[in-house]
Amino acid sequence: MANIENFESHCWNDIVPAEDYATYRPYVRETYIGETPALLAIDLYNLVYKGGAKPPHEITAEFPGTCGIYAHEAIEPTQNLFAACHKAGLPIYYIAGTFSPKRVRSTQRLVSPVTEHDYNVHEAFTPRAEDVLFRKERASAFFGTPLIAHLTQKGINSLIVCGESTSGCVRASVLDAYSYGFHISIVEECVFDR
């Protein structure tokens, strides 16, 4: 059995009580990337980088969709992840929101004005010709997109996940991917939230 000290614990060792680790022990397993992986890059679009590398609470009034400093701190690790995936010859799937003035919204919340440029992939992560970009209208990368068909056709059984936002679109996509039977690896330094 895997060692609990090495299992998904390094980032919260200082805040999780020992009794929680004891409760979690039956779920300990080896961590790995699956046999036929692909990279799933979620919502790395311009909107989340607006306002620069400042704390979101300082710039949200002007840039409501920003993740500020958290997005900017993830740029270099995410670029490194892309470089490693390209070097390994892994397929890369970008998922970004659809821009449309007539887009159907899932809630009645007020939405700040956005432009088509806001939903373009940030220049730090410009897709290559061999990469695939899908547009979505909901949180999950799978909902209403042909992603599952592409992954199935390519024989992909494992996803390496990066992007925005950890609590929203990344979470929704990972839950759907897990439900479809994919092995999931979330790259801690390459996901972020406001």
Side-chain angles (χ1 to χ4, degrees), residues 73-154:
E73 287 176 343
I75 290 175
E76 185 177 348
T78 305
Q79 288 174 323
N80 293 338
L81 176 62
F82 273 93
C85 289
H86 279 123
K87 184 176 181 181
L90 301 184
I92 296 177
Y93 293 90
Y94 289 82
I95 308 297
T98 300
F99 171 77
S100 171
K102 297 178 182 180
R103 181 177 173 187
V104 176
R105 301 264 175 214
S106 58
T107 66
Q108 295 299 317
R109 71 179 177 153
L110 296 175
V111 178
S112 60
V114 292
T115 66
E116 188 170 0
H117 178 263
D118 290 335
Y119 285 97
N120 289 337
V121 174
H122 190 270
E123 64 185 15
F125 313 108
T126 303
R128 293 183 179 183
E130 66 270 22
D131 300 336
V132 179
L133 169 65
F134 291 127
R135 298 289 181 170
K136 65 183 176 76
E137 291 201 22
R138 293 291 184 262
S140 175
F142 291 90
F143 186 86
T145 73
L147 178 60
I148 189 67
H150 279 251
L151 298 174
T152 301
Q153 189 177 51
K154 297 276 188 186

Side-chain angles (χ1 to χ4, degrees), residues 2-26:
N3 184 340
I4 190 97
E5 287 74 32
N6 296 324
F7 174 67
E8 301 182 291
S9 61
H10 65 283
C11 65
W12 49 69
N13 269 339
D14 58 341
I15 59 171
V16 175
E19 57 269 17
D20 287 355
Y21 279 120
T23 303
Y24 199 50
R25 187 167 293 285

